[in-house]
Amino acid sequence: MAKTGIGTTVIRKEAWDKVTGNAKYTDDENPAGVLTARMVTSTFAHAKITKIDYSQALLQKGVKAVITGKDYPVLSGGLVEDRPPLANGKVRYYGEPVALVVADSEFDAARAVTFVKVEYEPLAVVNSLSQALASGAPLVHEHQENYKHIVKDLYPQPGTNICDSKKIRKGNVNQAFSECDVTVEAHYSLPQSDHIAMETRTARARIAPDGTVFVKSASQAPFGIEKELSTVFNLEQGKVIVEVPFVGGGFGGKAPIQLELLAYMASKAVCGREVDIRNSREQDIASSPCKLGLDATLRLGATKDGMIKAAQMTYLVDAGAYADMGPRLSKAMAVDCTGPYSIENVSCDAVCVYTNHPYATSFRGFGHASYTFCVERTLDKLAKKLQMDPLELRKKNGLAPGNLTPTQVPLTASNLGSLGPCIEKLKPLINWGEGQRIELGNHKIRAKGISCFWKTSDSPPGAVSGIILTFNKDGSLNVNCGCVEYGPSMKTTVAQLLSEKLKMDIDRIHVNMDVNTKYSPTHWKTVASMTTFMQGRAAMRAAEDVCRQLTSLAAAVLRCPPEDLEVGGERVYVRHEPSNFIHFKDLVHGYQYQNGNAVEGQIIGRGSFIMGDLNLLDKETGKGKAGPWWTVGAQGVEVEFDTEEYTYRLVKAATVIDAGKVLNPKMCEALLKGGMCMGLGLGTRENFSYSAKGEVLDTSLRTYKVMHFGETPQYLVDFVETPLENSPYGARGLAEHGIIGIPAALANALSVASGAELDELPLVPETIWRIKTGGKA
């Protein structure tokens, strides 16, 4: 196995710790004296809190404190400050934290929770998007106008349940539709669901005598925690220190800040003692943020030869009870609303709506899997109406250099990639030429469905990332970076990039696996498939800084100009005379002459990157640049369907993606396969269902079903490489992308197999039967 560079499979830096069980996660350490906090959660989805009686709880064994929202009448939120850490005055979703019990042990805390008595006055429940938007609907937030906005480009509608909306207006949609030969229109409904990370959310906090706050958390955003705690509780930011060790899966669900606020409040209530809070699986599902729900209506118009001329789209996002990332999710849908297709005339409204459901946050794909389902199902309907091959329709309308995005960003081969070659490579992977629907006999049909996708990030303008490099005396390199390792192998990727740049054995590059806001350079968040790009750009600058320092010092030692020197193999050598060199180990902590004189000192490299070319979208047209570049790809799913039982077996799932440059082939494959598995979970079984009172009914893994290993199909992955010119070695982000088109491809396959238009998820046999038969046996 190669020891240097990119484009080759390398072992993850943390592999040995993980496979031997030595890797330490937030909850793996349990020092003596740490207290435990447990939440009391709401049993109503919408109600006034009339009384909280915790007098009996305080009398229970081991109980140190009980906290309610009245103790901390503050609001939090990354975009809108609309959420109290503990409900204050009323609850807005089933499972919302209402009180906090702090006790000596988990057992004592759990027992004491049962003695906290909360009295409620039920309110009318907003249990769907249609109810939320109906005339005279109950308001989830009665006073939106009073909330502080952290970002500028939010447009709430006080007096309604709309917390933000985004518009895209490109071309002349009405005129374009009048010139179309064929139109199709459809409505789609997709439910909320959960991240189901293996490690539930957990946090721990203590307050030192000098007021310094120490937080340890399973989080994707340690610097976000630092900022939020200092903002909400008016703390000096330099006295908030957040540590994140390994994280057992995130998928976006550990980017928001929730338990960290509660851990701080609990510690403060017990004079700064260390307090641990950890979600049970049920709380992780019902009380912490989830994946968005979506209702959408799409209309496409095309000429008879299949050129799409017009698109009219409405995306209604179920953000749940609080805004969190909901407005950014609806914005992300608007920005990429057409999918990777060239449509000159577009009207899109993406509306973020409050309901009395658990609040929504980032989820792998950041809303793209949801809106892509709608676009790709509509394209299949259009292909059917045109009697045209669905793949050819997509290829014919695919975006290309010279086209404009919905927000009117000019596209190039670099910032877009190449969709056509992805489609061509997908064909043999799923054997498209044999036909889309094949009768097998015995009521069995084998069918294929396809979809395409694209995604840019919705990173905020000014998002930053930094890296610090230091050397050991033996010449090996230490890397200190602020990205969180929770699965995508980012720390190893940084090491690979540095290995290539410095022509250095990757085993001699040591990366800190934890993040500590006291000494780790700031990294925005480990989200959005942007970490390779952002940390990579910072790493390249840090490596260049190191090379400048090495060649400057080596030039004095080797008696030659710095521009004649090269760096590689832990040496600095003269380019035209490689035998004239000096080892890193003799330079990196200063150089000492034979007479004992020493010059320079420790070489420390630093690199930083800022997202500098993004801007806010125009309120009326949506024109603007929300992300730096796109990743495109094509996906397919093959199923075997039983026309009598309405059951099916997953046979194959395939992805071809334009990766720009494949840095670590096996890791890239694994990321995409994991994404496909999650996409099939969303497509086949995962969802929240609610009672008429808004209660979440799927709060355990007994009722919330996930993919099992034995149910997974054959996964196939291939790559196209169109370099992204401003990214390290041309690489594009791809960690989220395996999930994006899979639910749509599955629904397209099952629609072909069943002969029914399947426009909702998840596609359990009962749903297919109901849509096919109208619910009549």
Side-chain angles (χ1 to χ4, degrees), residues 427 430-438 446-448 638 652:
K427 287 181 180 180
I430 59 172
N431 199 10
W432 187 255
E434 73 173 353
Q436 196 176 0
R437 188 179 195 273
I438 300 169
R446 188 153 48 86
K448 303 179 181 74
E638 185 174 344
K652 187 184 294 184

Side-chain angles (χ1 to χ4, degrees), residues 174-226:
N174 292 333
Q175 180 179 332
F177 270 115
S178 70
E179 297 170 357
C180 290
D181 300 311
V182 177
T183 62
V184 291
E185 184 172 348
H187 178 77
Y188 304 94
S189 181
L190 308 177
Q192 288 186 319
S193 59
D194 198 70
H195 302 79
I196 305 291
M198 190 176 295
E199 175 197 35
T200 61
R201 297 165 177 92
T202 180
R204 183 180 297 171
R206 66 180 176 89
I207 306 171
D210 69 350
T212 301
V213 179
F214 295 89
V215 176
K216 191 172 186 179
S217 174
S219 171
Q220 296 172 241
F223 297 94
I225 296 170
E226 177 191 56

